[in-house]
Amino acid sequence: MRTIERGAEAMLSSTDYLDMDAIVKTRLPKRYRDAELDRSLRNARTRKEARLLREARIAGVRTPYVYDIDMHEDSITMEFIRGPKLRDVLGRDMPGARTACEKIGLALARLHSSGISHGDLTTSNMILEGEEVCLIDFSLGNMPASDEDLGVDIHLLRRAFMSAHSEVAELFDSLLSSYLRHNPGGKAVVAKADDIQKRGRYT
Ligand SMILES: Nc1ncnc2c1ncn2[C@@H]1O[C@H](COP(=O)(O)OP(=O)(O)O)[C@@H](O)[C@H]1O
Ligand SMILES: [Mg+2]
Protein backbone atom coordinates (compact mmCIF):
# COMPACT_ATOMS: atom_id res chain seq x y z
CA MET A 1 0.00 0.00 0.00
CA ARG A 2 1.23 3.46 -0.85
CA THR A 3 -0.08 6.58 0.86
CA ILE A 4 -1.45 9.09 -1.62
CA GLU A 5 -2.99 11.71 0.58
CA ARG A 6 -3.53 12.33 4.22
CA GLY A 7 -6.39 14.74 4.84
CA ALA A 8 -7.98 15.98 8.03
CA GLU A 9 -10.40 13.07 8.18
CA ALA A 10 -8.93 10.27 6.16
CA MET A 11 -5.85 8.65 4.71
CA LEU A 12 -5.87 7.50 1.09
CA SER A 13 -3.59 4.68 -0.05
CA SER A 14 -3.30 2.88 -3.34
CA THR A 15 -3.41 -0.90 -3.40
CA ASP A 16 -4.73 -3.65 -5.58
CA TYR A 17 -7.82 -5.68 -5.01
CA LEU A 18 -8.25 -8.95 -6.94
CA ASP A 19 -5.78 -7.56 -9.50
CA MET A 20 -7.68 -4.31 -9.91
CA ASP A 21 -6.22 -0.90 -9.13
CA ALA A 22 -7.85 0.22 -5.92
CA ILE A 23 -7.71 2.92 -3.33
CA VAL A 24 -8.27 2.49 0.40
CA LYS A 25 -9.83 5.35 2.30
CA THR A 26 -9.25 4.96 6.03
CA ARG A 27 -10.92 7.28 8.47
CA LEU A 28 -8.41 8.28 11.13
CA PRO A 29 -9.08 8.51 14.86
CA LYS A 30 -9.33 12.01 16.27
CA ARG A 31 -7.68 12.07 19.65
CA TYR A 32 -9.47 15.20 20.87
CA ARG A 33 -12.82 13.42 20.60
CA ASP A 34 -14.13 11.08 23.24
CA ALA A 35 -12.97 7.60 22.14
CA GLU A 36 -16.44 6.10 22.11
CA LEU A 37 -17.96 9.01 20.20
CA ASP A 38 -15.03 9.03 17.78
CA ARG A 39 -15.51 5.35 17.01
CA SER A 40 -19.22 5.71 16.34
CA LEU A 41 -18.72 8.82 14.19
CA ARG A 42 -16.07 7.13 12.05
CA ASN A 43 -18.26 4.06 11.75
CA ALA A 44 -21.29 6.08 10.72
CA ARG A 45 -19.38 8.09 8.11
CA THR A 46 -17.73 5.01 6.65
CA ARG A 47 -21.06 3.25 6.31
CA LYS A 48 -22.73 6.34 4.91
CA GLU A 49 -20.02 6.91 2.33
CA ALA A 50 -20.16 3.31 1.07
CA ARG A 51 -23.94 3.40 0.91
CA LEU A 52 -24.15 6.72 -0.91
CA LEU A 53 -21.45 5.78 -3.43
CA ARG A 54 -23.68 2.89 -4.36
CA GLU A 55 -27.00 4.77 -4.26
CA ALA A 56 -25.54 7.54 -6.41
CA ARG A 57 -24.49 5.00 -9.03
CA ILE A 58 -27.97 3.51 -9.02
CA ALA A 59 -29.22 7.07 -9.67
CA GLY A 60 -27.01 7.16 -12.79
CA VAL A 61 -24.04 9.09 -11.41
CA ARG A 62 -20.47 7.93 -12.03
CA THR A 63 -18.87 7.05 -8.67
CA PRO A 64 -16.08 4.61 -7.72
CA TYR A 65 -17.19 1.01 -7.22
CA VAL A 66 -16.97 -0.08 -3.60
CA TYR A 67 -14.98 -3.34 -3.46
CA ASP A 68 -14.84 -3.84 0.28
CA ILE A 69 -15.67 -2.17 3.55
CA ASP A 70 -13.91 -2.84 6.86
CA MET A 71 -15.81 -1.68 9.92
CA HIS A 72 -12.90 -2.38 12.27
CA GLU A 73 -10.40 -0.29 10.35
CA ASP A 74 -13.09 2.16 9.22
CA SER A 75 -11.89 1.79 5.69
CA ILE A 76 -13.42 1.47 2.25
CA THR A 77 -11.59 -0.20 -0.62
CA MET A 78 -12.83 1.22 -3.88
CA GLU A 79 -12.11 1.52 -7.56
CA PHE A 80 -9.16 3.76 -8.39
CA ILE A 81 -10.36 6.52 -10.70
CA ARG A 82 -7.65 7.73 -13.09
CA GLY A 83 -7.56 11.40 -13.83
CA PRO A 84 -7.00 14.82 -12.32
CA LYS A 85 -9.22 16.49 -9.77
CA LEU A 86 -11.47 18.91 -11.57
CA ARG A 87 -10.18 21.60 -9.25
CA ASP A 88 -6.69 21.33 -10.75
CA VAL A 89 -7.73 21.54 -14.40
CA LEU A 90 -10.87 23.66 -14.57
CA GLY A 91 -9.85 26.94 -16.15
CA ARG A 92 -9.84 28.98 -19.30
CA ASP A 93 -7.53 26.63 -21.17
CA MET A 94 -9.29 23.42 -20.25
CA PRO A 95 -10.68 21.85 -23.41
CA GLY A 96 -14.31 20.83 -23.01
CA ALA A 97 -14.78 22.80 -19.80
CA ARG A 98 -18.35 23.76 -20.71
CA THR A 99 -19.32 20.19 -21.55
CA ALA A 100 -17.77 19.00 -18.29
CA CYS A 101 -19.82 21.57 -16.37
CA GLU A 102 -22.99 20.48 -18.13
CA LYS A 103 -22.19 16.92 -17.09
CA ILE A 104 -21.80 18.02 -13.47
CA GLY A 105 -25.20 19.70 -13.72
CA LEU A 106 -26.72 16.47 -15.04
CA ALA A 107 -25.02 14.35 -12.35
CA LEU A 108 -26.26 16.68 -9.63
CA ALA A 109 -29.79 16.65 -11.10
CA ARG A 110 -29.78 12.85 -11.00
CA LEU A 111 -28.52 12.81 -7.41
CA HIS A 112 -31.02 15.36 -6.19
CA SER A 113 -34.02 13.92 -7.99
CA SER A 114 -33.21 10.60 -6.28
CA GLY A 115 -33.23 12.34 -2.91
CA ILE A 116 -29.45 12.23 -2.38
CA SER A 117 -27.32 15.17 -1.24
CA HIS A 118 -23.52 15.15 -1.51
CA GLY A 119 -22.70 17.40 1.43
CA ASP A 120 -19.22 18.56 0.35
CA LEU A 121 -19.69 19.49 -3.26
CA THR A 122 -16.54 21.21 -4.49
CA THR A 123 -14.36 20.62 -7.54
CA SER A 124 -11.86 18.80 -5.26
CA ASN A 125 -14.39 16.04 -4.93
CA MET A 126 -14.74 15.51 -8.67
CA ILE A 127 -12.31 13.54 -10.83
CA LEU A 128 -12.17 14.12 -14.56
CA GLU A 129 -12.02 10.62 -16.00
CA GLY A 130 -11.44 11.15 -19.70
CA GLU A 131 -14.49 13.16 -20.68
CA GLU A 132 -16.58 11.96 -17.77
CA VAL A 133 -16.90 13.43 -14.31
CA CYS A 134 -16.74 11.05 -11.35
CA LEU A 135 -18.03 12.22 -7.96
CA ILE A 136 -16.24 11.09 -4.78
CA ASP A 137 -16.25 11.78 -1.03
CA PHE A 138 -19.90 11.29 -0.05
CA SER A 139 -19.41 10.97 3.70
CA LEU A 140 -21.31 14.18 4.46
CA GLY A 141 -24.20 13.36 2.17
CA ASN A 142 -27.71 12.35 3.11
CA MET A 143 -30.44 10.10 1.77
CA PRO A 144 -33.20 11.07 2.09
CA ALA A 145 -31.81 14.60 1.83
CA SER A 146 -33.72 17.56 3.26
CA ASP A 147 -34.48 20.66 1.15
CA GLU A 148 -31.75 22.40 3.14
CA ASP A 149 -29.23 19.61 2.28
CA LEU A 150 -29.97 20.02 -1.42
CA GLY A 151 -29.71 23.81 -1.21
CA VAL A 152 -26.35 23.51 0.54
CA ASP A 153 -25.01 21.44 -2.38
CA ILE A 154 -25.85 24.18 -4.88
CA HIS A 155 -24.61 26.87 -2.51
CA LEU A 156 -21.23 25.18 -1.95
CA LEU A 157 -20.72 24.51 -5.62
CA ARG A 158 -21.58 28.07 -6.59
CA ARG A 159 -19.17 29.35 -3.98
CA ALA A 160 -16.42 27.06 -5.30
CA PHE A 161 -16.92 28.44 -8.81
CA MET A 162 -16.92 32.05 -7.60
CA SER A 163 -13.70 31.62 -5.62
CA ALA A 164 -11.50 28.79 -6.94
CA HIS A 165 -12.63 29.28 -10.53
CA SER A 166 -13.52 32.95 -10.65
CA GLU A 167 -11.97 33.36 -14.12
CA VAL A 168 -14.52 30.89 -15.47
CA ALA A 169 -17.38 31.76 -13.11
CA GLU A 170 -19.78 31.98 -16.05
CA LEU A 171 -19.35 28.22 -16.51
CA PHE A 172 -21.50 27.88 -13.42
CA ASP A 173 -24.42 29.19 -15.49
CA SER A 174 -23.99 26.27 -17.91
CA LEU A 175 -23.87 23.89 -14.98
CA LEU A 176 -26.98 25.38 -13.42
CA SER A 177 -29.05 25.44 -16.60
CA SER A 178 -28.18 21.79 -17.21
CA TYR A 179 -29.18 21.05 -13.59
CA LEU A 180 -32.51 22.84 -14.03
CA ARG A 181 -33.19 21.11 -17.35
CA HIS A 182 -32.76 17.69 -15.78
CA ASN A 183 -34.27 18.16 -12.34
CA PRO A 184 -37.99 19.07 -12.23
CA GLY A 185 -37.64 20.17 -8.59
CA GLY A 186 -34.49 22.15 -9.28
CA LYS A 187 -35.97 25.64 -9.16
CA ALA A 188 -36.98 25.26 -5.52
CA VAL A 189 -33.51 23.98 -4.66
CA VAL A 190 -31.85 26.99 -6.27
CA ALA A 191 -34.24 29.28 -4.36
CA LYS A 192 -33.15 27.51 -1.18
CA ALA A 193 -29.48 28.02 -2.12
CA ASP A 194 -30.15 31.75 -2.64
CA ASP A 195 -31.75 31.80 0.75
CA ILE A 196 -28.74 30.13 2.37
CA GLN A 197 -26.44 32.62 0.69
CA LYS A 198 -28.51 35.53 2.03
CA ARG A 199 -28.46 34.09 5.52
CA GLY A 200 -24.67 33.93 5.18
CA ARG A 201 -24.44 30.42 6.54
CA TYR A 202 -21.98 27.71 5.47
CA THR A 203 -19.43 30.34 4.51
N1 LIG B 1 -11.62 6.45 -5.86
C1 LIG B 1 -10.62 7.30 -6.01
N2 LIG B 1 -9.82 7.23 -7.10
C2 LIG B 1 -8.78 8.09 -7.26
N3 LIG B 1 -8.46 9.06 -6.37
C3 LIG B 1 -9.22 9.18 -5.26
C4 LIG B 1 -10.33 8.31 -5.02
N4 LIG B 1 -10.89 8.65 -3.84
C5 LIG B 1 -10.16 9.68 -3.36
N5 LIG B 1 -9.15 10.01 -4.20
C6 LIG B 1 -8.13 11.07 -4.02
O1 LIG B 1 -7.94 11.31 -2.64
C7 LIG B 1 -8.37 12.63 -2.29
C8 LIG B 1 -9.07 12.65 -0.94
O2 LIG B 1 -10.18 11.77 -0.97
P1 LIG B 1 -11.60 12.21 -0.42
O3 LIG B 1 -12.52 11.04 -0.53
O4 LIG B 1 -12.02 13.47 -1.08
O5 LIG B 1 -11.27 12.42 1.13
P2 LIG B 1 -11.29 13.72 2.08
O6 LIG B 1 -12.47 13.48 2.97
O7 LIG B 1 -9.98 13.66 2.81
O8 LIG B 1 -11.45 14.94 1.22
C9 LIG B 1 -9.25 13.06 -3.44
O9 LIG B 1 -9.29 14.45 -3.60
C10 LIG B 1 -8.61 12.36 -4.63
O10 LIG B 1 -7.49 13.08 -5.08
MG1 LIG C 1 -12.52 15.35 -0.48
Side-chain angles (χ1 to χ4, degrees):
M1 287 227 280
R2 199 167 55 83
T3 301
I4 297 182
E5 267 197 56
R6 200 190 170 98
E9 292 265 328
M11 186 177 72
L12 284 295
S13 321
S14 65
T15 184
D16 70 85
Y17 185 83
L18 306 177
D19 287 335
M20 295 177 285
D21 284 339
I23 197 161
V24 184
K25 178 172 182 174
T26 309
R27 225 159 272 281
L28 304 166
K30 297 235 169 152
R31 312 232 173 266
Y32 62 81
R33 272 198 302 239
D34 170 72
E36 194 80 3
L37 174 69
D38 183 57
R39 167 131 288 274
S40 75
L41 262 178
R42 280 186 290 136
N43 256 274
R45 296 216 172 128
T46 302
R47 253 180 297 142
K48 186 186 255 188
E49 178 151 34
R51 171 171 168 253
L52 291 185
L53 283 169
R54 179 168 180 277
E55 294 290 351
R57 175 156 0 83
I58 293 169
V61 175
R62 173 70 173 124
T63 57
Y65 275 93
V66 173
Y67 296 148
D68 194 24
I69 165 168
D70 183 330
M71 293 313 292
H72 291 285
E73 296 284 336
D74 290 300
S75 71
I76 298 175
T77 303
M78 65 183 118
E79 180 187 11
F80 196 118
I81 307 294
R82 301 258 159 228
K85 283 188 223 191
L86 198 67
R87 186 190 168 104
D88 297 332
V89 292
L90 190 63
R92 242 184 249 298
D93 48 2
M94 176 190 160
R98 187 166 303 275
T99 312
C101 288
E102 285 167 0
K103 286 181 177 168
I104 298 168
L106 171 61
L108 192 55
R110 286 179 173 163
L111 267 192
H112 283 187
S113 44
S114 303
I116 306 168
S117 66
H118 181 281
D120 189 15
L121 205 59
T122 66
T123 49
S124 297
N125 287 330
M126 300 174 185
I127 299 176
L128 191 66
E129 186 191 27
E131 309 215 314
E132 296 308 315
V133 178
C134 179
L135 300 190
I136 61 167
D137 202 1
F138 278 77
S139 59
L140 299 176
N142 276 320
M143 182 188 191
S146 67
D147 292 348
E148 178 89 5
D149 292 333
L150 302 180
V152 168
D153 274 355
I154 295 283
H155 172 67
L156 291 180
L157 195 54
R158 177 160 56 197
R159 209 185 56 189
F161 270 74
M162 299 311 154
S163 51
H165 309 290
S166 55
E167 86 282 11
V168 288
E170 79 277 5
L171 282 178
F172 187 75
D173 295 338
S174 310
L175 189 162
L176 202 58
S177 55
S178 161
Y179 173 75
L180 289 168
R181 244 190 344 270
H182 294 103
N183 179 11
K187 254 178 110 168
V189 179
V190 175
K192 192 80 191 173
D194 294 343
D195 213 48
I196 291 166
Q197 191 167 355
K198 280 197 208 99
R199 294 203 311 256
R201 288 191 61 200
Y202 308 99
T203 53

